């Protein structure tokens, strides 16, 4: 695989053990993650060559975060350091009918002061063939948007593939940026769209439904507005309750519509990072398989992530392929 570039905030997650609420516990577990980090580490676990670019605190917490990335073989040479602390989020994991709850502490994090002058994109993108971005980074701060845009412009000049996961989270857009305008601006430099009807409606100010016909219409509309986009992939989640979900995938690649069968996840260990696992599986798949198998691989990777604690999918290629072959019983490997 060619080198894949990810850019975004590294976060520390703090959570009580199991399904406890904070008021029940005096003990917390911590994990490192962040949307783009999760994608990068998952691809590295598939054997990919990944470089993550970020701004991380210049203290022992930041040192530990960088060591965590390096443990999985992620290139951290382009990470810059800051006197501000690492971003943190707090998670209470729900169960059955009780949903999970998240609270963020990232407004004044190390990444929040990122600006274009801090990243040497010419050096950072040297040897890169694929750039992945999400809507989280431009939502956090103006510097995140401006720095990301500079990277995307150069990536396209270099002929790199650019995958976009324009996740829209209204609570993150606090600095005055217009989400629709900014996400649309960045999509002009993207070639693969990873998102569903909600994301398309947000960018296009449309009101498409979740039906197959509307998904195809929405995808065609998106491609017309952003001609650089050639394929649209969508992960569909059906929730029975907090502990039992179903995952499937669908796509429109400009030629045909395809959809996978549901993968039943009857006992969720950890839902965080499952969308990132999907994106990572898709990026890996598109470099090794046709569009249909790539979509299947992505859905299986996402389903497997639900079985791991923490933000990252630890599955390797063989484990994902095992799911694709229908081995979902969870029997011992001997």
């Amino acid at each position: 695989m060619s080198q894949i570039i990810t850019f975004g905030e590294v976060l520390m997650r703090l959570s009580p053990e199991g399904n406890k609420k904070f008021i029940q516990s005096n003990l917390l577990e911590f994990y490192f993650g962040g949307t783009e980090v999760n994608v990068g580490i998952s691809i590295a676990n598939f054997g990919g060559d990944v470089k993550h670019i970020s701004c991380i605190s210049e203290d022992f917490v930041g040192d530990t975060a960088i060591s965590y990335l390096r443990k999985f073989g992620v290139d951290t040479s382009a990470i810059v350091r800051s006197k501000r602390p690492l971003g943190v989020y707090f998670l209470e994991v729900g169960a059955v009918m009780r949903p999970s709850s998240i609270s963020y502490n990232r407004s004044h994090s190390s990444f929040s002061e990122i600006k274009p002058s801090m990243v040497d994109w010419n050096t950072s993108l040297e040897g890169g063939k694929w750039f992945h971005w999400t809507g989280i980074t431009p939502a956090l701060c103006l510097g995140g948007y401006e720095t990301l845009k500079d990277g995307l412009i150069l990536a396209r000049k270099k002929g790199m593939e650019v995958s976009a996961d324009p996740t829209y989270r209204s609570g993150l857009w606090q600095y005055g940026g217009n989400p629709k305008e900014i996400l649309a601006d960045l999509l002009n430099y993207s070639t693969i769209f990873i998102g569903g009807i909600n994301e398309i409606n947000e960018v296009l100010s449309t009101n498409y439904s979740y039906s197959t016909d509307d998904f195809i219409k929405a995808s065609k509309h998106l491609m017309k507005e952003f001609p650089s986009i050639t394929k649209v992939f969508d992960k569909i989640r059906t929730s029975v309750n907090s502990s039992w979900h179903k995952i499937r995938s669908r796509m429109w690649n400009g030629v045909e519509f395809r959809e996978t069968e549901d993968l039943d996840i009857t006992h969720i260990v950890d839902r965080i990072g499952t969308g990132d696992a999907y994106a990572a599986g898709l990026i890996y798949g598109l470099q090794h398989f046709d569009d249909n198998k790539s979509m299947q691989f992505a859905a299986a990777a996402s389903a497997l992530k639900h079985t791991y604690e923490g933000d990252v999918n630890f599955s390797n290629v063989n484990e994902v392929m095992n799911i694709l072959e229908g081995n979902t019983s969870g029997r011992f490997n001997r």
Side-chain angles (χ1 to χ4, degrees), residues 12 21 31 53 67-68 146 151 155 161 179 215 239 297 303:
M12 175 183 277
K21 295 176 70 68
Y31 304 91
I53 302 168
S67 295
Y68 184 77
E146 293 175 337
E161 201 80 66
F215 171 72
S239 299
F297 188 91

Side-chain angles (χ1 to χ4, degrees), residues 3 26 46 69 101 122 125 134 143 150 156 164 175 180 185 190-191 195 199 213 271 283 292 308 314:
Q3 187 167 60
N26 294 316
F46 295 148
L69 291 172
S101 298
N122 280 302
L125 295 182
T134 81
D150 283 356
R156 292 301 295 137
Y175 66 90
K180 178 184 179 299
D185 183 28
S190 305
T191 60
E199 288 74 25
D213 285 346
R271 179 181 165 177
I283 293 168
N292 188 51
Y308 294 106
F314 297 101

Side-chain angles (χ1 to χ4, degrees), residues 237-262:
R237 178 186 300 275
T238 304
S239 299
V240 179
N241 56 44
S242 287
S243 304
W244 179 2
H245 292 183
K246 300 179 181 183
I247 294 290
R248 71 180 188 275
S249 180
R250 62 183 176 178
M251 72 169 187
W252 173 256
N253 63 3
V255 178
E256 64 175 345
F257 170 83
R258 286 289 192 91
E259 187 172 32
T260 68
E261 297 292 327
D262 275 329

Side-chain angles (χ1 to χ4, degrees), residues 164-165 192-200 209-212 214-216 218-219 231-237 247-253 257-260 275 278-279 282 295-296 298-299 302:
D165 179 2
I192 306 293
F193 187 92
I194 307 172
I197 293 299
N198 288 340
E199 288 74 25
I200 294 175
S209 74
Y210 295 96
S211 70
T212 297
D214 263 20
F215 171 72
I216 295 172
S219 298
K231 300 174 184 179
V232 178
F233 294 90
D234 180 21
K235 174 179 66 64
I236 301 173
R237 178 186 300 275
I247 294 290
R248 71 180 188 275
S249 180
R250 62 183 176 178
M251 72 169 187
W252 173 256
N253 63 3
F257 170 83
R258 286 289 192 91
E259 187 172 32
T260 68
Y278 178 86
L282 189 61
M295 177 180 63
Q296 294 173 332
S302 177

Side-chain angles (χ1 to χ4, degrees), residues 39 69 72 112 116 126 147 166 191 227 307 332:
V39 173
L69 291 172
F72 297 100
S112 71
E126 188 174 346
T147 307
T191 60
T307 70
F332 272 111

